[in-house]
Amino acid sequence: ELHTSSLSLLFLGEDDQSRRSSQSSRPGPGKPRGVPVLRVPPSDSSNLSLMATLLERPAVSEFNHMLRSHGIPTETWGKHGAKAVDQLFWELFCQRGSILTGLGTKQLKRVTRLLKIRLLADIDGADHVVVSRLQLMHDGQQIQRQQLPLGRLCWKMPSDNALLQSCKINLCDENNEYAESWRSCWPSVLEARLGICSSAFQHQLDEVTSAYSYHTEDNVHSEGYPGLKVTFRVTNPAHSKVACIGLPLGQDFATANDNFCLERFHSKDALPIGSQLNVWSWAPLSEFNKVYVKPSFSETTKTEKSPGREEPVPQCVEDELMMRKRVPISASMSKLASMDNVAHAASGKTPKKTAPNAKLRRVLSSKRTDWRTVRKIASNLLDKNYTLSQFMQDLAAFPELSLYLRDGVVETGSGRTADDEYQRTICAFFAIYWLMRLDIDGRQGFCFGTDETWTALKESAVQDGQVAMESALPNGLQKRFYQLERRLAFFNNAQWSFFRRLMVDAGLLEASFQNGRNTFRVKETRMVSLLALTAIHDIMKIENLLPTVQPEHDGYHGYAAGDVIGDHDHALCYVMDHYPDLLPSFKDLDPAERQSVQFTQCNLCFNHGWLVQAEAPAGAIFSKFREAVARDRRVQGGARDIALYFVHWLTDLAGAEPTPLGGCEKFVIKFPLHVLNSFLQSFKFIEGISVRTETQVMEKYLKYRWSDHVPTLGEPPKGPHAIAAMRLLCMAQANGRTIVDAFNQELSSEDKEVLSVEMARTGCAGQFFSPELTPSEVISKAAGPAFLVYYGPAFLQRMGTDSPLRRLEILAEIFRCARKLWPAVPDQAGNFVTVRIDAITIQGHWSADSELLLLRMCSNKQACIERRPKDGNSFNEDSTQILFNTDNGAPLCSQEEMIRRLGPAMLAEGHWYRKVAFAFLRPALPGEEIRTMVDGNEETKKIAQAGDYVVRADTKWKELYVLPQQKASDAYDLAAPMDIAERLDAAELRAGGFRCYRCRTRIKAIRASESLLSKICPQKRFMASWGSPCVVKADDMLAAQVSDSTIKEIYRIEKTVFKETFSLDQ
């Protein structure tokens, strides 16, 4: 029988790997506000748990000495997820879960048999598997990983001895008589790990016998780890008996055995060996298999490494290194969230007021900021004895931080998890800590991160090979991801004096000259304001907290009454303006300081990223800023408040990566120094807003960025496309040159015109860029609104396998669809609309199947890209545009029609290509069906006839297709097969009946651009000459067999296949 512990809810942040894909995300309503902890009843294995102090210490010491004498470095054990010597001793001699062989030799091996259980359940129509994402161990370690429920099978050796010199028994034998049977112990494993009793679940579980497997896994140091995997499926996820494991919604849950005490774990008191707490999640099975089902080490080491290339590293390795640099949830922070939920649950009351957001009011209305601790933080920042760990503990003084830790408030508008946003906020706090302590340990912590004691690494230590938050992974891998050269370059070349000067200008530090040197003192009141601002600045990224505009505030920042404010900056502004009492860390600030915070976050309404990346039109960037500066010019602290804004912007961006203990990696690793210098240089342009118009400031800045580009681009461009070219250069950052070249040289005239016109609209009534830089249409017919393509820079910076031209075509189509939703009219020339495209950038959901994507009007100020409903007719056409789709139910384009439509362009604009690769052919079996598969996708299929040939391409996809005898004879020299003896896959080819032939094919081909497809093949499917539909995607090549200026057939060749097999025929 299960029972909950006295601490029935555990409040922990979620890691990246525990998040579910958008297709199977858990519904918000009805979710618990914490992770329920189930106490696992005593079992045989848990009864074996005992305190480390109760082990026979002489025996443990002798055992440790034996291990070291065999070359085992036990001094590194008990760290980074590795077991301690005590635990291995307990495992061998108490639990009987392992044996050691090779005693007295140089090949000491630990052998254990593991039972791994996959427990499957159908959640939202997709198979999910339960995995442990976090383990709190008896020795104080917190291990974050994705692990199946597993148990160790017991050994019963004839001599009852776990230490063997040699063993004649085949320990890897699946049916070894001295190993416990998995069938007898799987119920106890489920009970010990998940807390479910097999007798209670006997009618809810079905064994999936086809999924059983037995194999050995090797690692770097030892071999012979037999493992078994068995799979059970929950037959009825909605049954009440399985609610304790998070079904049917797939909620997180936790289990702890009776010997585990969370309070003692947090206080680092001793706990019995073997006791632990596991936090479990339901992960989509397809994603779990993709990331975590990997070949054994022996298999991976057999793969030959290409000369000059680094071996690929599994994503989970990089994830583990990142997780090491995240801060654990402190006991005080977890307690803060726990107290909040318990208090609300006990009261059972619903607040009478719900505006502007019921959840926000319920969570924060009764909270208070611990201002005594906040002032302590401010006063201690320059104290060399004030450690980073103490700073982190003191941050619990801000109640807003607990919002990120509440299960049920986890969706964010940035495409990241709530835990990511929490880690990023902590990283911004750490940036403040480091920048205030530049003469103590700040530069080192900012650049190099910390060791496991949270002490800033020194330059000499990292040069000697130490990395931030070392793990048990091979040191070479850790160095590879640490990027020491970039860190040292930033450490030695960053403009540290600028950071210090900005702190002084913002009133955070007071400088004085004493005893021949500059000294600094923290100005406590001002620093408290910056800390409070950092605590609240990103909470509106949690979508469940976004406010709704009330009737009395209709028109706020352009949002109508009843609109949910989607922009997190505007949302926070709205709450500070009209509901300040809902923000404990804002409402109690000194009135003058509240005005300063509002100036930086609300009244200013200035997004620096919009300028440096040219993401937004001039009006969106500067209009509110200019109004605020003009309005507050009479205030003495105006300039100081602008400096405070820039300090906040820098610390926020410095903390943009969710890895606080790794240093400020966004700046140090991912920002080229010259780009950061561009940011810093932009401040002098922004200062000109008091004497110039918004458009003049932006034009001057765009020209500067063009002139400052490395390598040089020459003089800033002129002509109607100039503004678009300069903005695209800024948006694409490192890809700027290639994007501009594609814009100038490859983009169709229609798409180029769309980008030039839309990107030259200013969003400022009566303002235009210089006539020599602007399309005449923009000046002669002033109209709006202008468009801010939110996440547009990320779309051009993270192109994946897309070409620059492909991304520009997509961007042009987004502008084109947005203009259909908001026709250009004169009275909107001074306004702008936000078009959010994060669904295809940050969230990574871009799909070549364009019919799946819609641009939908969310309000009169915002549109967003989203997935098309399965019922294509279930959306409002007045407020929705389908991207790239002009399919209105027309029949599939025939081969003859395709030749008619494409033929003139193919003959006039297509280029001749010659197939340079060879291929492998075999006679086809009459009636066999051949499917052509490229990158896992079926391109086409054909049933072979007598005399046909099956061709296997010599590409990475090894795709198969069918050719009639005459075509095969024309395309390949069938009379002269080639020798393939030296090929690695020679035996495989011979076994399949294939022989190698050189190709003599010559074709004409043209690139399938979006604009071309929209004209000749809007469905992106046409009938191939062999009678099967052929799918064509943007950037693929359309090929033609041409004889005497007559096109015989047209077919599609996938872009990567084309690059591998064809070259331009000179």
Side-chain angles (χ1 to χ4, degrees):
E1 180 180 339
L2 300 173
H3 60 281
T4 58
S5 67
S6 57
L7 180 64
S8 59
L9 295 177
L10 175 69
F11 292 90
L12 295 168
E14 297 184 359
D15 60 40
D16 285 344
Q17 299 162 18
S18 70
R19 296 291 300 148
R20 186 166 297 117
S21 65
S22 62
Q23 292 92 331
S24 59
S25 59
R26 289 168 289 183
K31 288 194 287 186
R33 297 190 180 93
V35 181
V37 180
L38 306 178
R39 285 295 178 186
V40 176
S43 63
D44 292 341
S45 60
S46 62
N47 285 336
L48 292 174
S49 299
L50 74 162
M51 302 294 289
T53 54
L54 299 180
L55 293 173
E56 297 180 16
R57 301 318 303 175
V60 175
S61 297
E62 182 180 349
F63 177 64
N64 188 22
H65 177 74
M66 181 275 293
L67 292 174
R68 291 194 175 197
S69 68
H70 283 75
I72 308 298
T74 57
E75 64 273 8
T76 65
W77 289 18
K79 304 175 182 178
H80 316 309
K83 295 179 180 179
V85 174
D86 289 346
Q87 187 166 354
L88 181 58
F89 184 91
W90 170 81
E91 181 184 302
L92 289 167
F93 302 106
C94 300
Q95 191 190 40
R96 302 291 183 184
S98 297
I99 57 176
L100 289 182
T101 67
L103 196 64
T105 72
K106 295 183 179 180
Q107 293 184 342
L108 192 64
K109 299 178 183 178
R110 166 180 170 267
V111 184
T112 184
R113 295 171 73 94
L114 299 176
L115 172 63
K116 299 181 180 180
I117 298 179
R118 291 190 180 210
L119 188 62
L120 305 182
D122 185 310
I123 301 172
D124 296 336
D127 273 349
H128 285 64
V129 60
V130 70
V131 292
S132 170
R133 66 176 177 86
L134 174 65
Q135 291 178 321
L136 307 184
M137 309 300 290
H138 74 277
D139 55 1
Q141 295 192 77
Q142 297 187 39
I143 303 174
Q144 302 193 55
R145 59 188 175 196
Q146 302 277 290
Q147 186 181 78
L148 295 170
L150 60 84
R152 190 174 288 107
L153 306 185
C154 293
W155 291 96
K156 298 179 181 179
M157 302 303 292
S159 62
D160 198 30
N161 187 0
L163 303 179
L164 305 176
Q165 288 186 335
S166 63
C167 188
K168 298 181 180 180
I169 304 170
N170 185 359
L171 299 175
C172 296
D173 184 6
E174 182 175 357
N175 299 312
N176 189 291
E177 61 180 312
Y178 299 110
E180 184 180 13
S181 168
W182 72 268
R183 288 200 174 276
S184 65
C185 73
W186 73 261
S188 62
V189 172
L190 285 180
E191 188 166 1
R193 295 301 182 199
L194 302 180
I196 60 178
C197 177
S198 60
S199 60
F201 276 67
Q202 59 182 343
H203 299 299
Q204 303 302 325
L205 298 179
D206 275 347
E207 181 185 350
V208 183
T209 55
S210 61
Y212 168 83
S213 67
Y214 176 87
H215 64 281
T216 62
E217 297 176 352
D218 297 343
N219 64 23
V220 176
H221 304 293
S222 59
E223 57 185 45
Y225 281 37
L228 306 101
K229 290 183 180 177
V230 297
T231 303
F232 294 93
R233 177 178 293 280
V234 179
T235 57
N236 181 12
H239 198 283
S240 60
K241 288 187 176 181
V242 295
C244 60
I245 56 173
L247 296 176
L249 299 180
Q251 295 165 315
D252 289 358
F253 64 99
T255 59
N257 42 24
D258 276 340
N259 299 309
F260 186 88
C261 175
L262 188 61
E263 288 77 10
R264 295 180 65 182
F265 174 85
H266 283 309
S267 61
K268 299 185 179 181
D269 292 340
L271 289 168
I273 296 177
S275 62
Q276 61 181 253
L277 181 147
N278 284 272
V279 179
W280 303 91
S281 291
W282 288 93
L285 182 60
S286 58
E287 295 183 8
F288 179 83
N289 288 340
K290 186 186 305 180
V291 178
Y292 295 101
V293 178
K294 302 176 290 298
S296 67
F297 180 80
S298 60
E299 293 173 341
T300 58
T301 54
K302 292 176 184 176
T303 303
E304 293 189 4
K305 181 179 177 180
S306 301
R309 293 182 60 186
E310 291 184 325
E311 287 195 47
V313 178
Q315 182 64 40
C316 57
V317 172
E318 186 175 357
D319 291 342
E320 180 178 337
L321 292 173
M322 289 190 64
M323 295 302 294
R324 289 285 304 163
K325 294 181 287 188
R326 295 162 86 99
V327 296
I329 308 303
S330 66
S332 54
M333 196 67 70
S334 182
K335 183 178 179 181
L336 180 65
S338 177
M339 290 174 59
D340 171 61
N341 283 274
V342 171
H344 284 299
S347 67
K349 296 180 179 178
T350 301
K352 293 181 180 180
K353 293 184 178 180
T354 59
N357 179 293
K359 187 179 290 292
L360 178 67
R361 184 172 290 278
R362 184 173 69 250
V363 173
L364 290 182
S365 60
S366 61
K367 290 292 185 67
R368 295 292 182 270
T369 300
D370 181 357
W371 291 111
R372 180 178 180 182
T373 300
V374 175
R375 287 189 290 271
K376 168 193 166 186
I377 295 174
S379 62
N380 286 340
L381 280 173
L382 292 182
D383 183 350
K384 65 180 181 180
N385 295 318
Y386 186 54
T387 66
L388 184 66
S389 179
Q390 291 172 320
F391 176 68
M392 177 66 198
Q393 292 177 10
D394 290 341
L395 291 180
F398 294 106
E400 289 86 356
L401 294 181
S402 68
L403 293 171
Y404 298 106
L405 311 180
R406 297 170 51 83
D407 193 11
V409 189
V410 294
E411 295 81 8
T412 72
S414 63
R416 301 180 176 92
T417 67
D419 184 49
D420 272 349
E421 295 298 349
Y422 173 75
Q423 298 288 341
R424 292 175 73 245
T425 299
I426 297 301
C427 200
F429 273 118
F430 283 15
I432 296 172
Y433 178 88
W434 299 128
L435 289 175
M436 293 297 291
R437 299 164 62 90
L438 293 180
D439 294 334
I440 304 174
D441 54 3
R443 294 190 303 147
Q444 292 82 358
F446 194 99
C447 296
F448 306 134
T450 74
D451 61 19
E452 61 182 12
T453 68
W454 290 29
T455 301
L457 292 173
K458 296 181 179 179
E459 181 181 11
S460 58
V462 297
Q463 288 180 330
D464 288 341
Q466 191 172 357
V467 301
M469 301 303 293
E470 290 183 324
S471 77
L473 291 170
N475 190 253
L477 274 181
Q478 298 185 62
K479 290 182 179 178
R480 176 171 163 185
F481 286 103
Y482 188 61
Q483 301 190 49
L484 175 61
E485 291 184 2
R486 283 182 175 270
R487 294 177 186 267
L488 287 172
F490 194 98
F491 181 77
N492 293 317
N493 301 316
Q495 299 180 6
W496 298 109
S497 60
F498 173 83
F499 290 112
R500 175 68 59 71
R501 179 177 62 81
L502 196 59
M503 294 286 186
V504 173
D505 291 345
L508 298 164
L509 287 175
E510 184 177 59
S512 60
F513 191 77
Q514 297 178 0
N515 300 323
R517 63 186 184 93
N518 288 321
T519 61
F520 299 93
R521 180 181 67 86
V522 174
K523 302 187 77 170
E524 182 180 297
T525 300
R526 193 66 164 174
M527 178 55 67
V528 165
S529 300
L530 176 62
L531 294 171
L533 173 59
T534 305
I536 66 176
H537 80 289
D538 267 349
I539 61 173
M540 290 302 162
K541 287 184 178 179
I542 304 173
E543 291 186 330
N544 285 348
L545 301 181
L546 291 173
T548 299
V549 177
Q550 300 303 296
E552 60 270 27
H553 309 135
D554 183 44
Y556 182 85
H557 287 185
Y559 289 90
D563 284 347
V564 174
I565 302 178
D567 182 279
H568 73 275
D569 290 326
H570 288 177
L572 184 62
C573 291
Y574 180 73
V575 175
M576 286 195 291
D577 282 348
H578 298 294
Y579 300 94
D581 289 348
L582 294 182
L583 301 173
S585 298
F586 173 73
K587 68 177 182 179
D588 293 329
L589 290 175
D590 178 85
E593 293 303 315
R594 279 177 54 171
Q595 182 180 0
S596 295
V597 170
Q598 286 181 289
F599 181 81
T600 60
Q601 198 70 15
C602 285
N603 294 351
L604 201 54
C605 288
F606 179 70
N607 186 317
H608 204 128
W610 290 357
L611 172 63
V612 296
Q613 297 185 111
E615 185 173 6
I621 298 172
F622 288 119
S623 290
K624 295 294 182 182
F625 190 174
R626 195 164 187 264
E627 291 173 7
V629 172
R631 180 175 60 250
D632 292 337
R633 195 172 295 168
R634 66 185 185 280
V635 179
Q636 293 293 325
R640 193 179 69 152
D641 288 344
I642 294 176
L644 180 66
Y645 163 77
F646 288 133
V647 170
H648 170 62
W649 176 82
L650 285 169
T651 55
D652 183 31
L653 189 57
E657 292 298 315
T659 51
L661 298 176
C664 297
E665 295 185 327
K666 182 66 174 182
F667 272 159
V668 177
I669 293 178
K670 300 191 176 183
F671 250 85
L673 269 178
H674 73 275
V675 174
L676 176 59
N677 290 336
S678 296
F679 284 1
L680 304 180
Q681 288 291 334
S682 69
F683 296 158
K684 64 182 180 182
F685 294 93
I686 300 169
E687 292 170 359
I689 198 66
S690 60
V691 295
R692 297 185 179 91
T693 67
E694 296 91 325
T695 304
Q696 288 171 340
V697 171
M698 187 168 184
E699 180 178 323
K700 189 174 182 180
Y701 178 69
L702 290 175
K703 289 179 177 178
Y704 163 76
R705 288 291 301 277
W706 185 280
S707 301
D708 193 54
H709 188 271
V710 177
T712 181
L713 296 174
E715 292 295 318
K718 294 184 179 180
H721 309 308
I723 293 298
M726 290 189 287
R727 284 188 62 183
L728 289 169
L729 179 76
C730 297
M731 291 174 68
Q733 290 192 10
N735 295 330
R737 181 65 178 266
T738 57
I739 288 289
V740 170
D741 287 346
F743 174 77
N744 287 329
Q745 302 169 19
E746 300 179 60
L747 194 62
S748 69
S749 57
E750 296 89 345
D751 287 344
K752 193 173 185 179
E753 182 68 16
V754 168
L755 291 178
S756 298
V757 169
E758 298 299 348
M759 298 184 80
R761 297 194 191 276
T762 66
C764 299
Q767 292 188 27
F768 308 97
F769 292 105
S770 298
E772 65 271 18
L773 310 178
T774 310
S776 58
E777 173 188 337
V778 174
I779 298 177
S780 62
K781 299 178 182 179
F787 295 122
L788 188 169
V789 180
Y790 207 30
Y791 292 106
F795 188 62
L796 298 180
Q797 295 163 23
R798 308 174 187 180
M799 294 191 294
T801 60
D802 280 347
S803 67
L805 178 58
R806 167 76 164 146
R807 287 298 169 110
L808 288 172
E809 289 173 338
I810 296 169
L811 189 62
E813 186 66 13
I814 291 169
F815 274 112
R816 190 178 285 115
C817 290
R819 184 55 68 199
K820 291 178 182 177
L821 295 177
W822 281 274
V825 293
D827 62 358
Q828 290 296 309
N831 293 325
F832 73 94
V833 165
T834 301
V835 179
R836 296 189 57 151
I837 65 169
D838 45 315
I840 60 173
T841 51
I842 298 298
Q843 296 178 20
H845 291 164
W846 168 248
S847 168
D849 185 355
S850 56
E851 294 184 25
L852 294 177
L853 295 175
L854 303 173
L855 183 66
R856 183 175 65 84
M857 181 188 294
C858 305
S859 69
N860 64 348
K861 292 288 290 181
Q862 180 172 293
C864 62
I865 289 180
E866 61 184 33
R867 291 287 174 180
R868 180 182 184 179
K870 291 183 179 180
D871 177 4
N873 298 318
S874 62
F875 56 85
N876 185 342
E877 295 183 2
D878 293 334
S879 61
T880 307
Q881 288 290 316
I882 304 176
L883 290 176
F884 313 120
N885 181 36
T886 57
D887 179 11
N888 56 3
L892 189 67
C893 182
S894 67
Q895 177 69 191
E896 293 75 15
E897 179 64 17
M898 192 67 178
I899 293 174
R900 188 189 68 79
R901 294 179 184 178
L902 183 61
M906 179 69 76
L907 294 174
E909 302 174 24
H911 295 284
W912 285 105
Y913 294 88
R914 186 173 295 280
K915 196 167 187 178
V916 295
F918 43 81
F920 309 97
L921 282 74
R922 66 166 172 83
L925 300 176
E928 71 171 315
E929 184 181 72
I930 300 299
R931 296 175 181 267
T932 304
M933 306 293 295
V934 175
D935 196 16
N937 299 313
E938 180 179 310
E939 303 297 313
T940 188
K941 61 184 177 181
K942 183 178 181 181
I943 296 178
Q945 307 295 321
D948 288 351
Y949 280 84
V950 175
V951 183
R952 203 210 80 172
D954 187 34
T955 66
K956 63 181 178 181
W957 309 122
K958 300 180 180 180
E959 68 274 14
L960 302 176
Y961 55 94
V962 176
L963 284 181
Q965 185 176 22
Q966 186 60 49
K967 285 189 176 181
S969 178
D970 293 342
Y972 298 95
D973 187 3
L974 298 181
M978 301 171 60
D979 182 32
I980 59 172
E982 296 184 0
R983 289 183 62 92
L984 295 176
D985 57 353
E988 174 191 341
L989 288 166
R990 291 194 186 100
F994 288 99
R995 302 188 71 180
C996 182
Y997 300 93
R998 187 173 299 280
C999 181
R1000 51 193 182 194
T1001 299
R1002 188 168 179 261
I1003 63 170
K1004 265 205 166 187
I1006 190 170
R1007 176 180 168 273
S1009 66
E1010 283 286 1
S1011 58
L1012 178 65
L1013 289 175
S1014 66
K1015 295 175 183 177
I1016 61 134
C1017 190
Q1019 295 168 286
K1020 297 186 178 178
R1021 297 171 75 245
F1022 64 91
M1023 189 64 71
S1025 62
W1026 52 87
S1028 294
C1030 181
V1031 178
V1032 60
K1033 302 175 182 178
D1035 279 345
D1036 287 343
M1037 298 297 289
L1038 291 170
Q1041 296 288 343
V1042 182
S1043 176
D1044 297 329
S1045 298
T1046 301
I1047 296 178
K1048 294 182 177 181
E1049 70 169 313
I1050 289 177
Y1051 53 97
R1052 169 255 188 178
I1053 303 176
E1054 195 271 339
K1055 59 183 178 182
T1056 57
V1057 173
F1058 188 87
K1059 288 179 181 178
E1060 290 186 28
T1061 55
F1062 285 88
S1063 66
L1064 192 64
D1065 189 354
Q1066 302 297 336

